[in-house]
């Protein structure tokens, strides 16, 4: 036997054997440098016929197609690599499912001849497509027709009492304020910026000078005698008594006082009453909270500098507090609540029972037990029997006893505008209730029971609340969907601990 080197391509060897000849080694090309990737040489197979009179070397078309090597685009190879990367793994989706879906995707693109034109970098991974299909099937089984988004008038079905629902007997000013609910604005839109010189300098363009250059210029001014002292003369002392405004402008922007107020810039009480009527009309028509909040702060400032403390003042603070509460602006609400406490203690008529109930719910939200006990101690026996105060005390009692069934029943029937305050801590109480359910009901619980107990508006809302924490906690049965409490215990224990760890305060009473 001779160990001959295979001839170069294009030269057919003389057949010596009936079987293909296999060489004892593979020729390797020399790599010119370390930066050059190694490429294996192309192998050539030689099939020699046993006898010359046998059929020709042509093979069936199917065999030729199998031996053809398809040149995959690099983007497809990267897509396959991303599919099996550990960082893209999704719990609950096995390798067989990913391989099967991957083959379907590539086969579909190959049949459409769009392998080179498809943007594989933006193509969803097979496990992502499988996860999306599972979620859609789950939500479809929950009967999404009962969701809140399909109702024609969400405001009509809401159990919350808005500020527009207060009658004339409940409002001191004797007029209806038809406020409507809109989405809460961001904190940047709620905060009014002071128009001081320092603020204007901060908002202006930068000069581009370094600290060293500024110090050098300051020393130069000292040497030239042009240095100007930064000392400011003290503000003039305030007048001995309250001023009476002379301004007749109905709308005026809020500006923080940096000096004694001038009579020309302050509106008298008669003009302020016209301003309040104008603001109520604009709020009904435009619903611009940023504008309304700025105007109410300016109105309150004019009342303060003129020492006006009467039923009209109480009416202004109560209306502003209700608007801020409806928009979720606890900072402005707390400022109004603080002033209202002082006005009520002075014997000025208003709605103290309503705002005492709000105060109790607020301290429940902030988990301030000391202030909550003080607020309860200030209540008289007659005040504790008022419906709004009695409801707030029942909420506190239900949470103290861990009776989440009673708590969510109280959440569905809140007097006045207390529901807006309860909305601020309803999520953490639902997490606490789910953690308790996972201990009491094992291994599974009907989703419908969770919906009714935790005061969700539909099964779809309850399912979405659960799968936001883990998508594997719901399972579809023959005629219903169950919540896998046996697997969800630790998940909701951690979520409850995180929810009760801190409270976001946007203002303090």
């Amino acid at each position: 036997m001779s160990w001959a080197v295979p001839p170069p391509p294009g030269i057919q060897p003389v057949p010596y054997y009936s079987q293909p000849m296999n060489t004892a080694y593979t020729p390797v090309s020399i790599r010119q440098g370390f930066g050059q990737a190694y490429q294996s040489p192309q192998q050539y197979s030689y099939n020699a016929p046993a006898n010359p009179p046998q059929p020709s070397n042509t093979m069936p078309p199917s065999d030729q197609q199998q031996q053809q090597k398809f040149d995959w685009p690099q983007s497809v190879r990267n897509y396959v690599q991303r599919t099996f990367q550990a960082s893209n793994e999704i719990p609950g989706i096995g390798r067989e499912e990913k391989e099967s879906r991957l083959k379907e995707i590539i086969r579909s693109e190959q049949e459409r001849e769009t392998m080179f034109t498809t943007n594989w970098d933006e193509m969803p991974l097979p496990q992502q497509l499988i996860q999306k299909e599972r979620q859609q099937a789950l939500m479809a089984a929950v009967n999404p027709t009962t969701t809140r988004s399909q109702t024609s008038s969400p405001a009509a079905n809401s159990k919350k009492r808005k500020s527009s629902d207060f009658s004339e007997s409940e409002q001191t000013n004797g007029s209806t304020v038809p406020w409507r609910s809109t989405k809460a604005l961001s904190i940047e839109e709620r905060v009014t910026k002071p128009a001081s010189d320092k603020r204007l300098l901060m908002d202006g363009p930068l000069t581009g000078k370094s600290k060293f250059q500024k110090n050098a210029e300051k020393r130069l001014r000292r040497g030239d005698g042009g240095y100007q002292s930064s000392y400011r003369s003290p503000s003039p002392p305030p007048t001995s008594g309250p001023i009476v405004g002379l301004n007749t402008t109905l709308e005026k922007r809020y500006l923080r006082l940096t000096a004694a107020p001038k009579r020309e810039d302050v509106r008298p009480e008669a003009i302020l009453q016209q301003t309040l009527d104008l603001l109520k009309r604009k709020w009904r028509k435009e619903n611009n909270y940023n504008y309304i909040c700025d105007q109410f702060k300016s109105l309150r400032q004019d009342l303060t500098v003129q020492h006006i403390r009467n039923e009209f003042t109480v009416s202004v603070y109560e209306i502003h507090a209700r608007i801020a509460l409806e928009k979720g602006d606890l900072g402005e609400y707390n400022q109004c609540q603080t002033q209202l406490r002082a006005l009520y203690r002075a014997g000025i008529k208003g709605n103290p029972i309503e705002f005492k109930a709000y105060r109790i719910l607020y301290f429940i939200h902030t988990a301030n037990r000391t202030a909550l006990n003080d607020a309860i101690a200030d209540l008289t026996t007659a005040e504790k029997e008022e419906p709004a105060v009695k409801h707030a005390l029942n909420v506190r009692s239900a949470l103290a006893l861990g009776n989440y069934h009673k708590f969510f029943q109280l959440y569905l029937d809140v007097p006045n505008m207390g529901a807006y305050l309860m909305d601020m801590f309803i999520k953490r109480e639902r997490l606490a209730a789910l953690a308790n359910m996972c201990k009491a009901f094992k291994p599974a619980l009907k989703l419908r029971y969770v919906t009714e107990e935790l005061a969700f508006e539909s099964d779809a809302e309850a399912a979405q609340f659960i799968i936001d924490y883990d998508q594997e906690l719901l399972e579809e049965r023959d005629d219903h969907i169950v919540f896998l409490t046996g697997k969800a215990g630790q998940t909701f224990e951690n979520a409850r601990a995180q929810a009760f760890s801190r409270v976001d305060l946007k203002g303090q009473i």
Side-chain angles (χ1 to χ4, degrees), residues 88-229:
N88 295 327
E89 292 289 339
I90 297 179
I93 300 179
R95 184 181 181 88
E96 295 78 7
E97 295 179 279
K98 291 191 293 185
E99 291 179 350
S100 176
R101 179 55 61 88
L102 181 62
K103 291 179 182 178
E104 294 178 3
I105 295 174
I106 296 179
R107 186 183 301 112
S108 175
E109 298 296 334
Q110 190 175 7
E111 291 176 355
R112 292 187 297 177
E113 298 182 356
T114 58
M115 189 73 70
F116 291 88
T117 58
T118 301
N119 187 1
W120 293 94
D121 296 334
E122 302 294 335
M123 176 75 72
L125 297 178
Q127 54 265 38
Q128 295 175 350
L129 296 175
I130 296 174
Q131 182 186 29
K132 185 177 180 180
E133 291 178 357
R134 290 180 180 179
Q135 292 181 357
Q136 292 177 350
L138 179 61
M139 298 305 294
V142 178
N143 188 13
T145 57
T146 61
T147 58
R148 177 170 46 189
S149 60
Q150 309 228 350
T151 58
S152 59
S153 178
N157 297 330
S158 177
K159 294 183 180 295
K160 299 179 184 178
R161 186 179 185 186
K162 298 188 177 182
S163 50
S164 58
D165 299 333
F166 286 83
S167 62
E168 295 183 359
S169 60
E170 293 174 324
Q171 293 189 3
T172 312
N173 61 343
S175 59
T176 305
V177 186
W179 294 310
R180 290 179 287 180
S181 175
T182 56
K183 294 183 179 179
L185 301 179
S186 62
I187 189 65
E188 290 82 0
E189 295 174 328
R190 296 197 296 264
V191 176
T192 303
K193 300 178 180 179
S196 61
D197 296 339
K198 184 181 294 186
R199 185 78 192 194
L200 294 176
L201 290 175
M202 292 175 63
D203 294 339
L206 298 177
T207 59
K209 295 182 180 180
S210 64
K211 184 177 180 181
F212 175 78
Q213 292 175 338
K214 293 179 180 179
N215 292 335
E217 293 177 358
K218 190 178 295 185
R219 288 193 298 269
L220 182 61
R221 289 197 300 269
R222 288 198 194 100
D224 294 341
Y227 180 79
Q228 296 180 357
S229 174

Side-chain angles (χ1 to χ4, degrees), residues 431-464:
L431 292 175
L434 284 175
N436 293 334
M437 286 181 177
C438 293
K439 297 178 182 178
F441 303 95
K442 289 184 178 181
L445 186 64
K446 286 186 178 182
L447 181 64
R448 187 61 193 170
Y449 178 80
V450 176
T451 302
E452 295 175 352
E453 280 296 308
L454 304 189
F456 287 106
E457 293 191 3
S458 64
D459 290 348
E461 184 182 0
Q464 187 63 46

Side-chain angles (χ1 to χ4, degrees), residues 391 403-414 422 452-455:
H391 176 273
N403 189 348
Y404 62 83
H405 175 80
K406 182 179 179 181
F407 169 78
F408 288 106
Q409 293 297 320
L410 292 170
Y411 172 69
L412 295 176
D413 186 18
V414 187
M422 295 189 68
E452 295 175 352
E453 280 296 308
L454 304 189

Side-chain angles (χ1 to χ4, degrees), residues 309-354:
R309 295 165 62 88
N310 52 23
E311 295 184 8
F312 173 71
T313 307
V314 173
S315 175
V316 170
Y317 279 99
E318 287 181 347
I319 294 173
H320 193 188
R322 293 189 186 109
I323 296 177
L325 192 61
E326 188 173 339
K327 304 302 292 186
D329 188 354
L330 284 183
E332 292 299 329
Y333 163 76
N334 287 335
Q335 293 182 23
C336 296
Q337 173 80 296
T338 303
Q339 294 297 323
L340 284 172
R341 289 188 65 202
L343 294 171
Y344 293 150
R345 288 178 178 178
I348 304 175
K349 295 182 179 180
N351 297 284
I353 299 299
E354 174 189 352

